[in-house]
């Protein structure tokens, strides 16, 4: 019985290593050539597995991108920083730390995020769903922050919770980050400072 459990653990470990190797191959393909379509065949070659193995593990091309987005957002990019910001008891600090953490997340893997967000517009069946999930979670987070700002009487009296959620959604987006970081060539801290200042001046008392 002990031998069987050991063998099962070895197989599980091997399967997990294969899964990580495939995700790393997708990540590297996006990082090295963000403007080129991601080929499952190329991913399989880079990961040193059969093409059928990719589909066996992830089910479909869409499943592969779903897994990559989850891995990128929650593990590689340090999204825990954003989660920690949400837990702050002060809503204004939640706003500041949340935007700053989001900027650091985007900056850590800018080229891959840029590729994914762009591909979502061109390949909605495969990539669009993965990005839609990220954006849905982000929308919920902005609505939660807007409600907290209102509950703690931080919002300006002429700003509704819905309006605040819309402004926060805009300022905390990848595109807002990238316009400052890439187009304007601001440093990460300066991007965060600009977005935080804009949010506070627009929304807060």
């Amino acid at each position: 019985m002990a031998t069987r459990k050991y063998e099962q653990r070895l197989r599980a470990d091997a399967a997990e290593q294969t899964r990580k190797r495939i995700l790393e191959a997708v990540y590297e393909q996006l990082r090295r050539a963000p403007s080129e379509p991601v080929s499952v065949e190329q991913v399989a070659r880079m990961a040193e597995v059969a093409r059928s193995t990719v589909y066996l593990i992830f089910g479909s091309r869409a499943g592969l991108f779903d897994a990559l987005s989850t891995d990128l957002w929650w593990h590689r990019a340090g999204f825990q920083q954003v989660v920690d910001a949400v837990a702050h008891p002060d809503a204004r600090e939640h706003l500041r730390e949340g935007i700053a953490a989001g900027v650091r997340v985007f900056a850590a893997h800018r080229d891959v995020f840029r590729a994914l967000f762009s591909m979502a517009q061109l390949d909605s069946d495969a990539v669009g769903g993965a990005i839609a999930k990220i954006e849905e979670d982000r929308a919920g987070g902005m609505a939660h922050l807007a409600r907290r700002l209102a509950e703690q009487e931080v919002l300006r009296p002429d700003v509704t919770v819905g309006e605040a959620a819309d402004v926060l959604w805009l300022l905390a987006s990848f595109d807002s980050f990238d316009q400052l970081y890439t187009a304007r060539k601001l440093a990460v801290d300066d991007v965060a400072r600009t977005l935080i200042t804009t949010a506070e001046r627009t929304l807060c008392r």
Side-chain angles (χ1 to χ4, degrees):
M1 183 64 70
T3 300
R4 182 180 300 173
K5 288 183 178 178
Y6 176 71
E7 291 173 348
Q8 289 173 341
R9 189 173 74 249
L10 286 179
R11 284 196 293 271
D13 289 346
E16 180 59 21
Q17 289 304 313
T18 299
R19 184 180 185 277
K20 288 180 178 178
R21 206 161 64 246
I22 293 170
L23 291 177
E24 183 65 27
V26 182
Y27 177 89
E28 282 301 313
Q29 191 169 342
L30 287 170
R31 188 183 65 82
R32 294 176 185 178
S35 62
E36 296 180 7
V38 173
S39 161
V40 173
E41 288 80 4
Q42 178 64 17
V43 167
R45 283 195 296 272
M46 291 174 66
E48 299 181 342
V49 299
R51 184 174 181 271
S52 59
T53 300
V54 177
Y55 288 105
L56 180 64
I57 294 174
F58 298 100
S60 64
R61 195 161 177 267
L64 177 61
F65 280 105
D66 278 343
L68 174 70
S69 298
T70 299
D71 179 69
L72 178 61
W73 197 248
W74 286 100
H75 302 296
R76 292 175 186 262
F79 189 71
Q80 185 61 41
Q81 302 171 69
V82 179
V83 175
D84 293 342
V86 173
H88 200 289
D90 186 288
R92 191 186 289 263
E93 287 302 314
H94 172 181
L95 182 155
R96 292 168 177 163
E97 293 181 14
I99 290 178
V103 166
R104 290 192 293 270
V105 166
F106 287 141
H109 304 278
R110 183 269 169 191
D111 290 347
V112 175
F113 275 120
R114 177 73 279 166
L116 287 172
F117 276 93
S118 298
M119 287 172 64
Q121 304 297 317
L122 303 174
D123 192 357
S124 59
D125 290 340
V127 188
I131 295 302
K133 289 178 183 177
I134 289 176
E135 293 293 77
E136 184 178 350
D137 288 344
R138 194 170 67 81
M142 296 305 101
H144 174 64
L145 173 54
R147 288 192 296 270
R148 291 195 69 204
L149 292 168
E151 289 166 1
Q152 296 185 17
E153 299 183 347
V154 177
L155 282 185
R156 285 172 33 187
D158 60 336
V159 177
T160 68
V161 171
E163 290 168 343
D166 289 340
V167 170
L168 291 167
W169 161 266
L170 172 65
L171 294 176
S173 67
F174 174 80
D175 285 329
S176 291
F177 153 79
D178 205 36
Q179 284 296 311
L180 295 171
Y181 183 71
T182 303
R184 297 290 293 173
K185 303 187 186 309
L186 268 62
V188 171
D189 288 346
D190 292 334
V191 172
R193 188 179 304 109
T194 299
L195 293 174
I196 291 166
T197 300
T198 302
E200 290 192 294
R201 289 179 178 173
T202 305
L203 302 175
C204 300
R205 294 174 185 268

